[in-house]
Amino acid sequence: MRVLGIETSCDETGVAIYDTDKGLLAHQLYSQVALHADYGGVVPELASRDHVRKTIPMVEATIKAAGLTSDQIDGVAYTAGPGLVGALLVGACIGRSLAYGWQIPALAVHHMEGHLLAPMLEENPPEFPFVALLVSGGHTQLVQVDGIGRYKLLGESVDDAAGEAFDKTAKLMGLDYPGGPRLAALAEQGVANRYKFPRPMTDKPGLNFSFSGLKTHTANTIATEADDAQTRADIARAFQDAVVDTLLIKCRRALEQTGLKRLVVAGGVSANKELRIKLHELLSKRGGAVYFPRTEFCTDNGAMIAFAGAQRLLAGETNDLSIKTRPRWPLDELAAV
């Protein structure tokens, strides 16, 4: 089964074709970073308009790159949430319309399920069950995954997501958009342990996260001490170390609580080098394994949507002609496959 995947939940337009027999055939990704840079963050209306301009040409280019024609596509999967409602509507309308025109089934895909399953696109995919850390600009969640659609939420952020905290802190430091990767790059120049920032909610039981207090602590430190380039780098290092350590502690607790030894890490922040190093060390010591998507599939992309959609379409799941998007959509509401 060949499935066309369309991702337009925020500021990246992603299109891909996944073949359930041959794997990923082709994918295209367009980032709107340059479009939003002047505003210091994503402008929803501009994001939606850019998706309108880019999606159809990218669909055509992806089909051509796969060496296919439209009549060789067996299904269409599109992101229906969570995300920016206007951006979601663009992909949903295009995806549903293409499926109707081609007389093939269409499926609304959960954005975070796409991220969760992204490591399945790699040569050495994880086996079920596992614990998943979904860590991005909009979400920080720990999920027990027993199969596709068999999800148990273990913990989540009660305020800022980890990626959001990275971006907001970067803005406080005067770094350009997108701030998260720029702050991580600055942290590489910092001296470890010059500053010791709090590891929020790690002194309490449970698996929820909170990063707003850490952001405030960092803001106060910036305001009083960031008077030279090295100090700024040291503050960035302290902030990143605090976030990484917090994620590490919570992942260890989740593995202990579930008794599992496999960890999947996905979402934009999963590209962070320090996080990858520390989690590899943790799982190695525990005799387990950690799985990441390749760097290009850490951020939003069409490949993960095509894959997730293909698994559900293959199981016979489809949607009717109505076009529905869900800017907020709990992951554990999904049906098991």
Side-chain angles (χ1 to χ4, degrees):
M1 185 178 202
R2 301 187 189 98
V3 176
L4 173 71
I6 299 173
E7 157 62 30
T8 64
S9 65
C10 190
D11 61 340
E12 275 122 358
T13 311
V15 179
I17 297 174
Y18 182 82
D19 187 313
T20 53
D21 292 325
K22 299 178 180 179
L24 187 63
L25 301 183
H27 70 96
Q28 307 251 334
L29 183 64
Y30 172 78
S31 173
Q32 299 179 358
V33 165
L35 175 67
H36 301 288
D38 289 344
Y39 304 94
V42 178
V43 181
E45 178 63 21
L46 295 181
S48 301
R49 293 182 183 185
D50 213 37
H51 288 310
V52 171
R53 287 190 289 265
K54 297 296 192 302
T55 305
I56 290 296
M58 288 178 64
V59 168
E60 294 171 341
T62 305
I63 293 174
K64 183 177 180 180
L68 303 174
T69 57
S70 60
D71 58 3
Q72 293 175 292
I73 304 298
D74 302 307
V76 179
Y78 56 87
T79 303
L84 302 175
V85 63
L88 291 168
L89 280 168
V90 175
C93 288
I94 291 174
R96 178 64 267 184
S97 298
L98 288 174
Y100 179 77
W102 293 339
Q103 298 184 4
I104 57 176
L107 186 72
V109 173
H110 192 293
H111 179 76
M112 297 311 294
E113 181 172 59
H115 276 303
L116 187 153
L117 298 177
M120 300 289 187
L121 292 162
E122 304 306 315
E123 292 183 2
N124 181 33
E127 295 181 1
F128 300 113
F130 54 78
V131 171
L133 171 66
L134 303 178
V135 57
S136 66
H139 298 82
T140 303
Q141 297 178 325
L142 279 165
V143 183
Q144 180 176 326
V145 180
D146 295 319
I148 296 177
R150 297 169 62 195
Y151 308 133
K152 179 182 178 182
L153 183 64
L154 302 174
E156 62 184 338
S157 180
V158 298
D159 43 53
D160 290 354
E164 184 180 6
F166 261 97
D167 288 337
K168 289 181 176 178
T169 301
K171 195 168 185 178
L172 290 170
M173 300 188 75
L175 299 175
D176 292 335
Y177 170 84
R182 296 181 190 277
L183 189 147
L186 181 61
E188 291 182 5
Q189 304 170 32
V191 176
N193 300 319
R194 179 181 172 186
Y195 296 97
K196 184 70 173 179
F197 286 179
R199 275 58 175 164
M201 293 185 74
T202 58
D203 58 345
K204 301 177 182 178
L207 295 171
N208 283 340
F209 303 88
S210 172
F211 293 105
S212 63
L214 173 61
K215 181 190 65 182
T216 301
H217 181 92
T218 308
N220 292 335
T221 307
I222 292 169
T224 57
E225 301 196 34
D227 53 2
D228 63 82
Q230 186 58 53
T231 298
R232 285 162 50 80
D234 295 345
I235 293 172
R237 175 66 181 268
F239 170 83
Q240 177 175 268
D241 286 349
V243 173
V244 169
D245 284 353
T246 300
L247 295 173
L248 197 75
I249 292 166
K250 297 289 185 172
C251 284
R252 183 173 63 242
R253 285 185 187 174
L255 292 167
E256 292 171 351
Q257 178 177 309
T258 60
L260 298 174
K261 292 190 175 183
R262 285 185 290 270
L263 177 69
V264 161
V265 187
V269 181
S270 69
N272 183 278
K273 295 178 184 177
E274 192 67 18
L275 179 63
R276 290 188 173 224
I277 291 170
K278 292 288 185 66
L279 286 175
H280 272 298
E281 291 175 352
L282 172 66
L283 270 296
S284 179
K285 290 178 181 177
R286 296 180 60 85
V290 60
Y291 300 83
F292 297 91
R294 70 194 77 166
T295 304
E296 63 186 316
F297 293 157
C298 288
T299 55
D300 298 346
N301 63 86
M304 67 182 192
I305 302 305
F307 178 84
Q311 308 314 305
R312 290 185 172 275
L313 286 166
L314 201 61
E317 187 174 331
T318 60
N319 292 126
D320 59 26
L321 288 174
S322 61
I323 297 172
K324 300 175 183 177
T325 59
R326 296 186 63 179
R328 297 182 181 275
W329 188 1
L331 186 64
D332 54 8
E333 288 186 5
L334 294 177
V337 171

